[in-house]
Amino acid sequence: GKRTSGSFDLYVFATSWQPEFCHSQSFPGCKEPNSYWSETLTMHGLWPQYTNGTWPSDCTSEHFDEAATDAVGMDTMNKVWPNVKQDPSDKDYDQFWTHEWTKHGTCSGISQKDYFQYAVDHFVEAPAMLKEAVGKTVDRDALIKAYGTVVAPICQGGKWLSEVLICKDKKTLENVDCVASVVKEGNCGASISVRAFE
Ligand code: 5GP
Ligand code: 5GP
């Protein structure tokens, strides 16, 4: 059901490894990927979270307003928060941002402009060791350590890097350690395989 917007405990800053998201897919954006997407994980969403491990969703009926992402700037949005399922010239290129705003952003209690701007302003690049591991493997614990706070890697098929969840203070958006009971540990083994674009 609907929850009260703005009442939550922390943010989960979800980032997505595009070479994995693109794996075996013929999405338009996967054909000529931005080189940045093979250096770092990109934005999936900024998700309000409760410390009991649950989260609110779809808190208000406020529709996505493209003025909010226009204010951030399309060059930045396309680079840092891409929707590879669409070609940037498609009229529904906004659909990933629409989904994230509707499901998660409406629970943040902040304006759409602030929601997208805060997410981009507090973007967390993956550590250099990830870039060096593309097409190879990376030690899970070393990767977590390199982020500087405890993050939660998520894997597909038990080993393929898919997402990294980063926990953030709800007020300052400073990184804080993710606690396993709050954010699910994502099915990665001790050695994580990092796909390259095909
Ligand atoms: P999956 O189960 O595929 O990992 O996640 C499906 C969707 O559930 C995500 O896209 C996200 O919207 C939501 N979700 C999964 N885990 C979390 C979480 O720890 N916190 C929040 N806020 N949403 C989550
Ligand atoms: P969630 O509900 O978990 O926030 O988001 C899940 C939805 O977002 C699914 O439709 C999933 O396919 C999509 N999604 C997750 N990661 C990405 C991504 O990196 N790019 C795009 N375009 N969609 C994504």
PDB file of all heavy atoms in Angstrom, residues 135-148:
ATOM      1  N   GLY A 135      36.458  -7.813 -17.964  1.00  0.00           N
ATOM      2  CA  GLY A 135      36.830  -8.986 -18.752  1.00  0.00           C
ATOM      3  C   GLY A 135      37.554 -10.035 -17.933  1.00  0.00           C
ATOM      4  O   GLY A 135      37.931 -11.085 -18.460  1.00  0.00           O
ATOM      5  N   LYS A 136      37.731  -9.749 -16.647  1.00  0.00           N
ATOM      6  CA  LYS A 136      38.442 -10.665 -15.753  1.00  0.00           C
ATOM      7  C   LYS A 136      37.616 -10.848 -14.471  1.00  0.00           C
ATOM      8  O   LYS A 136      36.397 -10.770 -14.514  1.00  0.00           O
ATOM      9  CB  LYS A 136      39.838 -10.105 -15.442  1.00  0.00           C
ATOM     10  CG  LYS A 136      40.702  -9.936 -16.698  1.00  0.00           C
ATOM     11  CD  LYS A 136      42.094  -9.436 -16.388  1.00  0.00           C
ATOM     12  CE  LYS A 136      42.134  -7.923 -16.344  1.00  0.00           C
ATOM     13  NZ  LYS A 136      43.484  -7.368 -16.342  1.00  0.00           N
ATOM     14  N   THR A 137      38.315 -11.093 -13.394  1.00  0.00           N
ATOM     15  CA  THR A 137      37.621 -11.244 -12.115  1.00  0.00           C
ATOM     16  C   THR A 137      38.192 -10.256 -11.104  1.00  0.00           C
ATOM     17  O   THR A 137      39.304  -9.741 -11.267  1.00  0.00           O
ATOM     18  CB  THR A 137      37.780 -12.668 -11.537  1.00  0.00           C
ATOM     19  OG1 THR A 137      39.171 -12.918 -11.319  1.00  0.00           O
ATOM     20  CG2 THR A 137      37.201 -13.731 -12.463  1.00  0.00           C
ATOM     21  N   VAL A 138      37.392 -10.014 -10.076  1.00  0.00           N
ATOM     22  CA  VAL A 138      37.841  -9.160  -8.979  1.00  0.00           C
ATOM     23  C   VAL A 138      37.464  -9.855  -7.673  1.00  0.00           C
ATOM     24  O   VAL A 138      36.418 -10.505  -7.591  1.00  0.00           O
ATOM     25  CB  VAL A 138      37.225  -7.739  -9.105  1.00  0.00           C
ATOM     26  CG1 VAL A 138      35.710  -7.761  -8.927  1.00  0.00           C
ATOM     27  CG2 VAL A 138      37.876  -6.755  -8.147  1.00  0.00           C
ATOM     28  N   ASP A 139      38.318  -9.739  -6.702  1.00  0.00           N
ATOM     29  CA  ASP A 139      38.044 -10.314  -5.389  1.00  0.00           C
ATOM     30  C   ASP A 139      36.936  -9.506  -4.709  1.00  0.00           C
ATOM     31  O   ASP A 139      37.035  -8.289  -4.607  1.00  0.00           O
ATOM     32  CB  ASP A 139      39.336 -10.285  -4.553  1.00  0.00           C
ATOM     33  CG  ASP A 139      39.129 -10.895  -3.184  1.00  0.00           C
ATOM     34  OD1 ASP A 139      39.109 -12.130  -3.099  1.00  0.00           O
ATOM     35  OD2 ASP A 139      38.973 -10.123  -2.206  1.00  0.00           O
ATOM     36  N   ARG A 140      35.893 -10.203  -4.281  1.00  0.00           N
ATOM     37  CA  ARG A 140      34.726  -9.503  -3.718  1.00  0.00           C
ATOM     38  C   ARG A 140      35.098  -8.613  -2.535  1.00  0.00           C
ATOM     39  O   ARG A 140      34.708  -7.436  -2.481  1.00  0.00           O
ATOM     40  CB  ARG A 140      33.667 -10.521  -3.270  1.00  0.00           C
ATOM     41  CG  ARG A 140      32.405  -9.868  -2.687  1.00  0.00           C
ATOM     42  CD  ARG A 140      31.538 -10.884  -1.961  1.00  0.00           C
ATOM     43  NE  ARG A 140      32.309 -11.569  -0.945  1.00  0.00           N
ATOM     44  CZ  ARG A 140      32.084 -12.818  -0.529  1.00  0.00           C
ATOM     45  NH1 ARG A 140      31.093 -13.514  -1.042  1.00  0.00           N
ATOM     46  NH2 ARG A 140      32.852 -13.363   0.385  1.00  0.00           N
ATOM     47  N   ASP A 141      35.850  -9.157  -1.607  1.00  0.00           N
ATOM     48  CA  ASP A 141      36.136  -8.379  -0.411  1.00  0.00           C
ATOM     49  C   ASP A 141      37.062  -7.198  -0.705  1.00  0.00           C
ATOM     50  O   ASP A 141      36.922  -6.126  -0.102  1.00  0.00           O
ATOM     51  CB  ASP A 141      36.737  -9.288   0.675  1.00  0.00           C
ATOM     52  CG  ASP A 141      35.720 -10.327   1.147  1.00  0.00           C
ATOM     53  OD1 ASP A 141      34.506 -10.099   0.942  1.00  0.00           O
ATOM     54  OD2 ASP A 141      36.135 -11.370   1.691  1.00  0.00           O
ATOM     55  N   ALA A 142      37.966  -7.391  -1.664  1.00  0.00           N
ATOM     56  CA  ALA A 142      38.851  -6.289  -2.057  1.00  0.00           C
ATOM     57  C   ALA A 142      38.058  -5.173  -2.735  1.00  0.00           C
ATOM     58  O   ALA A 142      38.318  -3.982  -2.513  1.00  0.00           O
ATOM     59  CB  ALA A 142      39.952  -6.807  -2.986  1.00  0.00           C
ATOM     60  N   LEU A 143      37.077  -5.562  -3.536  1.00  0.00           N
ATOM     61  CA  LEU A 143      36.240  -4.558  -4.198  1.00  0.00           C
ATOM     62  C   LEU A 143      35.455  -3.755  -3.165  1.00  0.00           C
ATOM     63  O   LEU A 143      35.419  -2.515  -3.221  1.00  0.00           O
ATOM     64  CB  LEU A 143      35.281  -5.236  -5.191  1.00  0.00           C
ATOM     65  CG  LEU A 143      34.342  -4.287  -5.936  1.00  0.00           C
ATOM     66  CD1 LEU A 143      35.110  -3.370  -6.888  1.00  0.00           C
ATOM     67  CD2 LEU A 143      33.272  -5.065  -6.707  1.00  0.00           C
ATOM     68  N   ILE A 144      34.854  -4.457  -2.224  1.00  0.00           N
ATOM     69  CA  ILE A 144      34.092  -3.766  -1.176  1.00  0.00           C
ATOM     70  C   ILE A 144      35.007  -2.800  -0.425  1.00  0.00           C
ATOM     71  O   ILE A 144      34.661  -1.636  -0.205  1.00  0.00           O
ATOM     72  CB  ILE A 144      33.439  -4.789  -0.212  1.00  0.00           C
ATOM     73  CG1 ILE A 144      32.350  -5.581  -0.949  1.00  0.00           C
ATOM     74  CG2 ILE A 144      32.868  -4.096   1.024  1.00  0.00           C
ATOM     75  CD1 ILE A 144      31.807  -6.786  -0.182  1.00  0.00           C
ATOM     76  N   LYS A 145      36.192  -3.254  -0.093  1.00  0.00           N
ATOM     77  CA  LYS A 145      37.138  -2.423   0.651  1.00  0.00           C
ATOM     78  C   LYS A 145      37.524  -1.174  -0.139  1.00  0.00           C
ATOM     79  O   LYS A 145      37.637  -0.079   0.409  1.00  0.00           O
ATOM     80  CB  LYS A 145      38.389  -3.248   0.984  1.00  0.00           C
ATOM     81  CG  LYS A 145      39.169  -2.689   2.132  1.00  0.00           C
ATOM     82  CD  LYS A 145      40.151  -3.719   2.684  1.00  0.00           C
ATOM     83  CE  LYS A 145      40.909  -3.084   3.856  1.00  0.00           C
ATOM     84  NZ  LYS A 145      42.237  -3.651   4.023  1.00  0.00           N
ATOM     85  N   ALA A 146      37.665  -1.352  -1.455  1.00  0.00           N
ATOM     86  CA  ALA A 146      38.094  -0.235  -2.300  1.00  0.00           C
ATOM     87  C   ALA A 146      37.035   0.869  -2.378  1.00  0.00           C
ATOM     88  O   ALA A 146      37.362   2.031  -2.656  1.00  0.00           O
ATOM     89  CB  ALA A 146      38.440  -0.748  -3.699  1.00  0.00           C
ATOM     90  N   TYR A 147      35.783   0.522  -2.148  1.00  0.00           N
ATOM     91  CA  TYR A 147      34.737   1.552  -2.137  1.00  0.00           C
ATOM     92  C   TYR A 147      34.875   2.474  -0.927  1.00  0.00           C
ATOM     93  O   TYR A 147      34.383   3.592  -0.931  1.00  0.00           O
ATOM     94  CB  TYR A 147      33.349   0.905  -2.148  1.00  0.00           C
ATOM     95  CG  TYR A 147      32.754   0.731  -3.533  1.00  0.00           C
ATOM     96  CD1 TYR A 147      32.929  -0.442  -4.244  1.00  0.00           C
ATOM     97  CD2 TYR A 147      32.025   1.755  -4.122  1.00  0.00           C
ATOM     98  CE1 TYR A 147      32.365  -0.606  -5.508  1.00  0.00           C
ATOM     99  CE2 TYR A 147      31.464   1.611  -5.386  1.00  0.00           C
ATOM    100  CZ  TYR A 147      31.640   0.420  -6.078  1.00  0.00           C
ATOM    101  OH  TYR A 147      31.094   0.282  -7.330  1.00  0.00           O
ATOM    102  N   GLY A 148      35.496   1.973   0.139  1.00  0.00           N
ATOM    103  CA  GLY A 148      35.710   2.818   1.309  1.00  0.00           C
ATOM    104  C   GLY A 148      34.621   2.707   2.362  1.00  0.00           C
ATOM    105  O   GLY A 148      34.848   3.043   3.519  1.00  0.00           O
TER     106      GLY A 148
END
